[in-house]
Amino acid sequence: MKIRLAQLNPVIGDIQSNTVRILQEIEKARNEQVGLLILPELAVCGYPPMDLLNVPSFRETIYRANETIIEQSPGISLIFGSITPHEGLGRPCYNSAIVASNRSLVGIQHKTLLPNYDVFDDMRYFEPAVSSVPIELHGIKWGISVCEDIWLNENDYMQYKQNPLDELVKKGADIFVNISASPFTRSKIESRFQMLQRRVKTYQRPLLYVNQVGAQTELIFDGDSLAINGSAELIGRSPRFKVDALDVSFTLVEGESELNFVSSRLQDAGKESLQPEEKIVFEALVLGIRDYVLKSGLSPKVVIGLSGGIDSAVVATLAVEALGKDSVVGITMPSEFSSEGSVSDSRALAQNLDISCHQIPIHEMVQSFDHAFKDYYKDTPFGLAEENIQSRIRGSILMSWSNKFNAVVLNTGNKSEYAVGYCTLYGDMNGALAVLSDLYKTEVYALAEWLNSSHYRREVIPNSILKKAPSAELRPDQKDSDSLPEYGVLDQLLKGYLEEGLEYEELVQRGFEKGMVKRILKLVDLNEFKRYQSAPGLKLSKIAFGMGRRRPLVQQWMRYRESMS
């Protein structure tokens, strides 16, 4: 029997279209003599559906879709992810793997381990399974699990007492199947593969793993579906960030419990794993932009404020890759403090990308604000208020352009700036999507260098942008380094605090200067209110600003920490 692992890209809430795609996949698989088609977790509604699951009509629509999928699958067997109803006390539904064959329901395995950490809220919505039992199909006992069930106790956030894989093996499972919606992070591709190999080695059962692909607001799913034989050898792997299918065949060796796989399309897994990190980040961000715009039903047009700096240059380049040059517009908005390069470099970038670029000077607008405030601001020094007026004027121009021409504003702030508050609410933080909010400044530079040297193999992002000192250009001769540590130092400190969970003493022990640590940590904590109001950002790291990082805006832990240090 030929088995197909199909990594799909569902649209959350678009039950009808998702169902049509599944039925098309079924028809294609049947025509190509596939005996068993395996689809990802919650393939019918998309993951994560969040509070849509609290809407009874939403759940009922999915239940009807489940019946349609089963009814319209003659001559083939299926394992697909969806919700199923839970009767009685508790949550109203399960997160389930449904097994069907030749238009009949064979069995259902519910998700047992419900993650409740980082971006996951499964315990909020789903009732957990009480047991895990293999489901027999074509003479094979399939040990089916759903996403977290196979990640058992692999992280520090949450430890589980129940072990679904133990139960499946004790009850005679011949082979493991895991259907997943496992979000991408830069470190997860290799760690996830190693975890799956450990499961195979521990239980001596081969494994079929299929993962969702596509982006859902902040989360990006990489696919990377794979098959591992009973000797823990990788024998098939789907490409990342693409809708794709991996075909595998098996034979049950008489007298042995192991299933032997022969991949019909073996990916060069070693080559895949050796890709530079910048390429992986590039693919993830391009997918994130494309799916955010297209899945939202928004106009496939975006507008970006081009400052002549590295961040807006990288965002514009990614947007062209995601949506095409005709869908991207740049606007440069010079003030009296803008360097000559802020305009000329922006125009050079636009020419290299072949996108429209418009110039809207803001000097007179700033003067109008200054005039309106002159009686109130007199005898006070030029400061943050005056600087932010420039940024907020630019933000208003971008939002006005968005309203007039039905274009999505892409935010260009990076993680370093977001962390320490070097960004302006209702100004440069405006936008529908914060593309770079999970990339530190040094990582933005690394991505830009890779784009020029490896992806395009020519100077698309002008070298003058790469070489200039970072600056907001909101006062004369301003540079970021006037008030911040060099980004190479700052980013390492921030990574330790935000992603590794290190506190003051531990950061000092790493060699960071005490005063700098205290000041930067204070800036991070004080600017939580800005991030709370920010556009959603694309998650790339273990800990990103957004839905997975929840800090109180009003708190005094910061003051206590300072007193202890």
Side-chain angles (χ1 to χ4, degrees):
M1 180 174 60
K2 183 161 69 172
I3 303 171
R4 175 165 293 172
L5 310 179
Q7 55 188 42
L8 303 184
N9 185 353
V11 178
I12 290 176
D14 192 353
I15 312 304
Q16 182 177 6
S17 295
N18 294 340
T19 302
V20 168
R21 292 187 192 97
I22 290 171
L23 295 177
Q24 290 171 342
E25 198 68 38
I26 291 170
E27 181 66 19
K28 181 181 178 183
R30 183 169 43 236
N31 291 339
E32 296 175 3
Q33 286 74 55
V34 172
L36 174 62
L37 176 64
I38 307 177
L39 305 177
E41 177 183 14
L42 295 189
V44 179
C45 64
Y47 185 91
M50 305 172 78
D51 280 4
L52 287 174
L53 290 168
N54 293 333
V55 181
S57 60
F58 179 75
R59 299 194 302 271
E60 291 299 327
T61 301
I62 296 172
Y63 301 152
R64 290 194 296 271
N66 295 344
E67 294 173 357
T68 299
I69 292 167
I70 295 171
E71 174 63 27
Q72 297 190 29
S73 57
I76 194 171
S77 298
L78 305 173
I79 301 174
F80 67 97
S82 188
I83 65 167
T84 57
H86 170 244
E87 305 295 340
L89 296 176
R91 300 158 186 93
C93 59
Y94 296 102
N95 182 344
S96 305
I98 299 174
V99 183
S101 185
N102 196 27
R103 302 175 64 180
S104 296
L105 177 65
V106 175
I108 300 175
Q109 176 60 58
H110 306 310
K111 190 173 184 177
T112 301
L113 308 182
L114 303 180
N116 188 38
Y117 57 86
D118 191 32
V119 300
F120 304 108
D121 266 331
D122 282 29
M123 289 182 66
R124 180 182 175 100
Y125 306 108
F126 301 116
E127 189 72 10
V130 295
S131 65
S132 297
V133 180
I135 296 174
E136 188 163 340
L137 186 68
H138 300 294
I140 304 297
K141 291 184 176 180
W142 302 85
I144 302 170
S145 60
V146 181
C147 202
E148 185 82 355
D149 291 346
I150 206 165
W151 283 88
L152 178 76
N153 299 339
E154 281 287 330
N155 60 63
D156 298 328
Y157 299 112
M158 198 165 182
Q159 299 288 301
Y160 304 97
K161 293 181 180 179
Q162 197 168 353
N163 187 331
L165 301 190
D166 271 353
E167 292 184 46
L168 290 169
V169 169
K170 289 175 182 177
K171 295 173 183 176
D174 296 309
I175 177 173
F176 287 148
V177 172
N178 184 265
I179 63 171
S180 279
S182 176
F184 162 81
T185 66
R186 284 172 288 181
S187 62
K188 185 180 280 187
I189 289 174
E190 187 58 29
S191 65
R192 183 170 56 206
F193 173 59
Q194 292 175 358
M195 178 275 295
L196 294 173
Q197 275 191 317
R198 287 196 297 274
R199 295 294 177 269
V200 171
K201 289 177 181 177
T202 298
Y203 294 103
Q204 298 182 335
R205 298 292 189 280
L207 167 69
L208 298 173
Y209 170 86
V210 61
N211 189 29
Q212 178 178 293
V213 72
Q216 312 287 8
T217 312
E218 297 177 46
L219 303 183
I220 302 167
F221 298 85
D222 55 308
D224 198 28
S225 303
L226 50 84
I228 301 175
N229 68 14
S231 300
E233 298 167 328
L234 177 67
I235 56 98
R237 191 170 196 169
S238 293
R240 295 186 294 263
F241 306 112
K242 296 178 182 178
V243 172
D244 199 76
L246 173 67
D247 288 350
V248 178
S249 63
F250 73 84
T251 55
L252 181 60
V253 180
E254 188 173 350
E256 297 183 10
S257 60
E258 180 179 332
L259 294 166
N260 295 302
F261 291 91
V262 179
S263 174
S264 62
R265 187 171 64 85
L266 179 61
Q267 299 292 321
D268 186 349
K271 183 178 178 181
E272 282 285 305
S273 64
L274 293 175
Q275 297 291 346
E277 184 172 282
E278 289 78 17
K279 182 178 188 298
I280 298 170
V281 167
F282 165 77
E283 292 173 346
L285 292 177
V286 167
L287 178 59
I289 294 170
R290 182 185 299 126
D291 274 6
Y292 184 93
V293 173
L294 299 183
K295 286 184 177 182
S296 298
L298 301 170
S299 166
K301 297 179 181 178
V302 298
V303 60
I304 301 163
L306 297 180
S307 66
I310 192 69
D311 301 310
S312 60
V314 169
V315 171
T317 304
L318 293 169
V320 169
E321 288 281 348
L323 303 168
K325 64 181 182 180
D326 294 335
S327 294
V328 182
V329 172
I331 301 178
T332 180
M333 297 164 279
S335 73
E336 64 174 305
F337 303 125
S338 298
S339 64
E340 182 179 342
S342 68
V343 175
S344 61
D345 290 343
S346 296
R347 291 199 175 280
L349 172 76
Q351 184 175 357
N352 291 347
L353 295 173
D354 196 19
I355 63 173
S356 299
C357 182
H358 307 286
Q359 182 173 331
I360 305 177
I362 68 168
H363 182 53
E364 292 184 2
M365 301 181 205
V366 173
Q367 287 182 324
S368 296
F369 271 79
D370 290 342
H371 180 75
F373 283 114
K374 65 181 176 62
D375 291 337
Y376 305 99
Y377 288 3
K378 65 181 179 180
D379 302 326
T380 64
F382 182 97
L384 188 62
E386 289 81 5
E387 290 185 13
N388 284 344
I389 283 172
Q390 299 168 73
S391 181
R392 290 187 175 120
I393 288 172
R394 291 181 173 122
S396 294
I397 290 171
L398 291 172
M399 294 309 299
S400 180
W401 188 281
S402 170
N403 296 154
K404 178 61 70 174
F405 298 109
N406 195 24
V408 176
V409 178
L410 294 184
N411 178 306
T412 63
N414 61 65
K415 192 169 187 175
S416 307
E417 296 167 348
Y418 266 53
V420 297
Y422 274 50
C423 44
T424 304
L425 271 177
Y426 326 120
D428 60 334
M429 293 183 76
N430 277 2
L433 181 68
V435 177
L436 303 179
S437 67
D438 204 21
L439 277 184
Y440 297 102
K441 189 78 166 186
T442 49
E443 294 172 336
V444 177
Y445 275 105
L447 179 56
E449 296 276 8
W450 177 85
L451 285 166
N452 279 357
S453 64
S454 298
H455 184 67
Y456 295 109
R457 300 185 186 279
R458 62 186 176 90
E459 189 180 302
V460 170
I461 297 176
N463 194 52
S464 52
I465 291 178
L466 286 162
K467 298 299 182 184
K468 71 172 63 173
S471 171
E473 295 191 333
L474 298 177
R475 62 166 68 234
D477 301 318
Q478 185 182 47
K479 293 182 177 61
D480 291 3
S481 57
D482 295 340
S483 52
L484 287 176
E486 293 292 340
Y487 280 112
V489 175
L490 175 64
D491 290 353
Q492 290 303 311
L493 194 161
L494 290 172
K495 189 173 291 187
Y497 182 47
L498 297 171
E499 297 179 29
E500 298 179 56
L502 304 180
E503 282 288 343
Y504 172 82
E505 292 292 347
E506 296 164 303
L507 291 166
V508 171
Q509 289 172 9
R510 281 203 175 178
F512 296 105
E513 191 270 324
K514 291 182 178 181
M516 179 179 68
V517 173
K518 185 177 291 188
R519 185 168 69 91
I520 296 303
L521 267 54
K522 185 174 183 178
L523 284 174
V524 173
D525 292 350
L526 283 174
N527 284 284
E528 196 68 45
F529 78 100
K530 288 188 180 182
R531 296 185 291 270
Y532 191 82
Q533 300 177 66
S534 173
L538 297 172
K539 178 177 169 65
L540 301 171
S541 67
K542 182 180 177 182
I543 301 294
F545 295 130
M547 62 188 293
R549 184 179 184 274
R550 306 173 190 182
R551 293 295 183 97
L553 303 189
V554 180
Q555 49 97 352
Q556 286 298 325
W557 169 248
M558 177 180 62
R559 179 177 295 179
Y560 175 79
R561 183 180 61 203
E562 285 186 350
S563 69
M564 296 298 291
S565 62

